[in-house]
Structure formats: structure tokens, C-alpha cells
Amino acid sequence: MGLLKKRVNEFPTPYTCTNAIKEGGLSTKLSMILMGFGNIVNGQVIKGLIYLLIEIAYLVFMFVNGIGFIAGLRTLGSVEQQEVWDEAKQIYTYTKGDQSILILLYGVAAILITVLMIVIWRGTLKSAYKAECLRKEGKHVNNFVEDLKTLLNENLYRLFMTPPTAFVFIFTILPLVFMICMAFTNYSRIDNHLMLFDWVGLDNFKTLFDSKSILGSTFWSVLAWTVIWAFFATFSNYIFGMILSLLINRKGTRAKGFWRFCFVLSCAVPMFVSLLIMRTMLQPEGAVNVLLRNLGLIASDKSLPFFTNPTWARVTVIIINIWVGVPYTLLQLTGVLQNIPEDLYEAARVDGANAIQTFTKITLPYMLYVTTPYLIVTFTGNINNFNVIYLLSGGDPVTDLSSTAGKTDLLVTWLYKLTIDKQYYNIGAVIGIMTFVILAIGALFTYRNSKSYKEEGGF
């Protein structure tokens, strides 16, 4: 069996669209054209009328607006906004032109509504076929009230899953498809394509992947730093959190609760407050540099370049991320350590194992087994870690004035600057796609290493 092995349907049903088309009666087949017709013929009048009204509403929408919305995707508009001199008012007025952003949004929404309609159509066809089969077999066919009651019993999952699915469809799938489409346009401030823009195919991807261009060289530099940051931000927290948890939980340590409280106290302060305070303290005229000058450790006219030197800035953000992240790792690993069976340690001591052997053969494997999914999630999360970088360094320092990113910018902070500050929405969409792909791969690896995936027999 391979990665794409078929899974057995746990709840097989004969009421499928294929069977409805092949074996259904005339009323069921007519339901392919008139949704709900088969339900009405087989006694489910209210249910059939609801399906029919949904179809009518969809057709009215498509004839009035939907077809025009989808047709507009071909050109994304062609009428530019014009400046016209008004002699009577002695002022310039502006004629209404096409807004490509709205044309794209409405077109994508119309296509997704059509996809949703296809799903509903399949459901109505299966419902009509089921009602026909039950009537032919002499079994009871539920009326509308009985169908509603099933939502509190065998169809309870439909009642609870429909609202969140609708929200995911509206607030996740629609924006995601819209953003992906934007990556294939020239929607940006460059050449003034903010109101009216066109499809450009893969040009944005070529520009971003071209290391000889300014945007391309910036992308590869930011991507490399993003991966380096994610690696050190993840494993430095894990290693230091492991060391602290081992020291605090060892038998010879007294006042374990007090030491945990000292390290976890920083969790009580909102992270953005801690980051902003540290950013202020590490400025050239901040508390740290002033204190070092007063102690005579640096010259009176000097400052440590925490955020002005690229290497210093990158090391600084990693160290401060350790400070804000280790307490959370400490709490998690403390729980893992307390759940390791004591019998394993006693057996190791009887066999003559020393402390290092006990750690490498028992403690570390057990901790990694439990926390591997957490490590993967943390790594992918650090790739998308906006708060620490933006609030602490703001992506600075900027050493190349032609570049749109600083030396500590991650893909996500660079994306923010490109869209909010520079208005390069098309390039920002491409970067968003790349970030999404990285996070999706991380989520896939997390699932493949999870216990539930192994229990299902996955590879």
C-alpha cells in the first residue's frame, strides 16, 4: 500500500449520484433539471420546494449578475477613470471607471457559489433517489418535520458542522482563492495598476525567483533568513527549556515550585508588551546602553548596535525569543518528565547505567516521542512569526536602500511591508502563496508524525 491508498468507506450507501442517474426513475432523473422534483413526487413536498427555491434563486442570481461577474474575469475591466473639466463648476471631475479588484472578487465569488450549487445539486439528487427507493420498497418516507427531528439524532453532525463549514467557506476559502488569483495579475503601485490591472500569468513568480532582480535577490535572502530563524527559534527554546526542566525536576532541587514561578512569571505579561519594552531598552539611547556607559564598559559616545548591525540584530531577536519562549517549553516538558514511569529509571540504575546513559536512552527518546509534533508545529509557526520580529526590530536594519526588506525581515513581515507600505499587492500575493505552501507542508508532516495517523495505518 502506498501514500495514495484508498480508505474503506465506513458507512456505505446505495444512494449515490451514479446510481440515481443509472437506476433512478423518471422523477429522479428530472430532479437533475428541476431540483426537488423527485422529492415532491415521493411525498416530500416542503423539502422539494425548498430545493426548487434554491435553484430558482441561483438561476436568478446568475442571469442578473453572476454571468457578468464571471465574464468580467476575462479582462478584469477596460474602462479607465477619466479626468474631465467641468466648465460650469470650474473644477475637474472624474468619471467612473472599472475597478478590477471588485471585478476579480465578484467573479471569484460567483464561481465559488456555482461550486457550492453543484454540491447542493448532488445532495438533492441523492435525496430524491433515496425517497424513490424507500417508496418502492414500501418503507416509510420521512416528511419535513421528521427530517428536522433527525438533525437532533442521526444527522446531528450536519446540524453542528454546517455553520462552521459555511464560515470556513466564506472567510477562508474565498479570501484564499482571491489571493491566489491576485498573484497572477499586475495589481500594484508599479505603473499605477491600483485601479485597473490585468492578468500577467507567471510573470510575478518569474520576477520573484529571478535572483538577478532586486525583488528576486531580496526574496532569496529573506527566505534563507526565515529558515535560519525558524530553526534557531525552535530548537534553542526547546534545548534551553529541556535543560531548565531537567534541573528543576531533579530530585536534589529544592523549592521546585518557586523556581518554576520565577521562570514562568514572564508569561503573565502580554508578549507584545515585553517585546516593546525590550525594543526600547536596546535602542542606542536605551537603558542598556546608558547603563553600560555609566559602568564604563563602553565609551561615552558609543552604543552597542543591537538593531543597527545585521549580525547583532539577528542574534538579538533570537536571544530575546528564547527569553519569551522558554517558559512555555519549560511548562510542557515538565509535564512530559513527570509522566515518565519511574520504573524505567530504577531498572536502568539496577543495570548500572550512569546519568548520561539514562538521559540518552530513556529521558530524551521519551520526550522526543511525545513532543515531535509540537516541534514541527513550532517550527512552522516560527516561519510565520510576525509579532517577535515586527515588534522587536521592525525588520531592521536596512542596509540596501533599493531593497524592500530589512536584514531581520521574515517572509511574513516582508509581505506586510510590500502590501501595506509599498502597495505591491501582486508580489505580496506570491509571497503569501509561498508561505502557505511552507506551512501546509509543515502541517502535513505534523499529521504524518501524529499518533492518529499511525493508528489509521498511514505511512
Side-chain angles (χ1 to χ4, degrees):
M1 292 184 292
L3 292 174
L4 300 178
K5 68 175 185 177
K6 296 182 179 179
R7 299 192 181 277
V8 179
N9 190 350
E10 297 179 3
F11 304 100
T13 174
Y15 311 119
T16 62
C17 288
T18 302
N19 291 340
I21 296 173
K22 291 181 178 179
E23 303 174 7
L26 179 62
S27 62
T28 298
K29 293 180 178 178
L30 284 175
S31 296
M32 292 188 291
I33 302 173
L34 296 175
M35 286 171 48
F37 182 78
N39 297 93
I40 295 174
V41 171
N42 292 288
Q44 296 180 320
V45 179
I46 298 178
K47 188 176 183 179
L49 289 176
I50 292 175
Y51 288 150
L52 184 60
L53 289 175
I54 292 175
E55 182 180 15
I56 293 173
Y58 170 75
L59 293 176
V60 170
F61 164 75
M62 291 301 294
F63 282 120
V64 174
N65 293 316
I67 295 176
F69 290 159
I70 296 176
L73 292 175
R74 185 174 60 87
T75 61
L76 296 178
S78 58
V79 180
E80 296 184 2
Q81 189 181 57
Q82 300 293 330
E83 187 180 62
V84 180
W85 174 255
D86 191 331
E87 286 289 346
K89 298 180 180 180
Q90 293 294 302
I91 60 173
Y92 282 102
T93 59
Y94 295 89
T95 60
K96 184 179 180 180
D98 291 333
Q99 297 186 38
S100 298
I101 190 72
L102 294 180
I103 295 174
L104 179 59
L105 177 61
Y106 294 157
V108 170
I111 292 176
L112 292 181
I113 290 174
T114 301
V115 173
L116 180 61
M117 189 62 192
I118 294 174
V119 174
I120 296 175
W121 175 83
R122 288 174 56 85
T124 59
L125 188 60
K126 290 188 287 186
S127 176
Y129 181 59
K130 180 179 180 180
E132 178 188 353
C133 291
L134 292 176
R135 185 179 60 81
K136 288 181 179 180
E137 295 170 1
K139 297 181 180 179
H140 177 68
V141 179
N142 288 347
N143 56 34
F144 184 69
V145 176
E146 290 171 335
D147 278 334
L148 290 180
K149 290 181 179 179
T150 62
L151 294 177
L152 300 176
N153 293 290
E154 62 267 24
N155 289 323
L156 183 64
Y157 70 97
R158 297 180 185 269
L159 178 64
F160 286 108
M161 291 301 295
T162 299
T165 302
F167 279 106
V168 169
F169 191 85
I170 296 172
F171 297 110
T172 301
I173 297 178
L174 176 59
L176 184 61
V177 175
F178 178 70
M179 182 198 72
I180 292 173
C181 292
M182 195 182 297
F184 299 93
T185 69
N186 57 356
Y187 180 36
S188 69
R189 191 174 61 183
I190 301 176
D191 297 329
N192 193 24
H193 286 296
L194 293 177
M195 291 293 294
L196 199 64
F197 52 82
D198 305 305
W199 298 106
V200 295
L202 298 174
D203 289 353
N204 296 322
F205 291 87
K206 293 177 182 178
T207 300
L208 198 64
F209 294 151
D210 183 8
S211 59
K212 296 180 181 179
S213 65
I214 296 176
L215 283 174
S217 61
T218 303
F219 169 73
W220 291 111
S221 174
V222 172
L223 178 62
W225 161 241
T226 300
V227 175
I228 293 172
W229 151 262
F231 177 83
F232 282 101
T234 300
F235 291 99
S236 60
N237 280 354
Y238 189 80
I239 292 172
F240 284 104
M242 179 192 301
I243 293 172
L244 283 177
S245 61
L246 290 172
L247 291 175
I248 292 175
N249 287 280
R250 61 191 293 269
K251 290 185 177 181
T253 302
R254 298 181 180 179
K256 293 182 175 61
F258 171 76
W259 293 115
R260 289 196 195 101
F261 171 78
C262 291
F263 287 104
V264 178
L265 185 60
S266 62
C267 296
V269 182
M271 184 179 292
F272 80 94
V273 175
S274 301
L275 295 174
L276 290 176
I277 291 174
M278 293 301 299
R279 178 177 183 173
T280 303
M281 293 177 62
L282 296 176
Q283 292 301 314
E285 299 300 325
V288 174
N289 278 309
V290 171
L291 179 61
L292 293 176
R293 292 193 200 109
N294 293 336
L295 294 176
L297 298 177
I298 59 176
S300 59
D301 59 341
K302 298 292 184 180
S303 299
L304 294 182
F306 291 110
F307 297 124
T308 55
N309 179 276
T311 303
W312 276 75
R314 290 178 173 181
V315 174
T316 299
V317 295
I318 291 175
I319 291 175
I320 295 179
N321 183 72
I322 293 174
W323 171 61
V324 298
V326 160
Y328 298 97
T329 308
L330 170 64
L331 288 177
Q332 185 176 38
L333 294 183
T334 296
V336 175
L337 287 174
Q338 292 176 348
N339 282 279
I340 299 177
E342 186 63 28
D343 296 343
L344 297 177
Y345 291 110
E346 293 180 359
R349 284 192 292 268
V350 170
D351 291 338
N354 56 34
I356 296 178
Q357 291 174 327
T358 302
F359 173 75
T360 56
K361 299 298 183 181
I362 298 177
T363 306
L364 184 59
Y366 191 93
M367 295 173 69
L368 290 176
Y369 176 78
V370 175
T371 59
T372 295
Y374 162 78
L375 279 173
I376 298 174
V377 170
T378 305
F379 182 83
T380 56
N382 280 321
I383 289 177
N384 215 21
N385 195 335
F386 181 87
N387 291 340
V388 172
I389 298 299
Y390 191 80
L391 295 177
L392 195 58
S393 68
D396 293 336
V398 178
T399 57
D400 186 357
L401 296 179
S402 63
S403 176
T404 53
K407 291 300 181 180
T408 58
D409 267 319
L410 306 179
L411 286 176
V412 64
T413 57
W414 187 37
L415 166 62
Y416 178 84
K417 290 180 178 180
L418 284 174
T419 53
I420 302 301
D421 299 337
K422 304 295 183 180
Q423 295 182 314
Y424 296 167
Y425 298 106
N426 53 345
I427 300 299
V430 176
I431 297 172
I433 292 174
M434 298 303 300
T435 306
F436 173 78
V437 170
I438 294 173
L439 295 178
I441 293 174
L444 177 62
F445 282 144
T446 301
Y447 172 68
R448 287 170 59 80
N449 284 276
S450 65
K451 184 178 179 181
S452 59
Y453 179 77
K454 295 175 181 177
E455 290 176 348
E456 291 175 6
F459 287 90

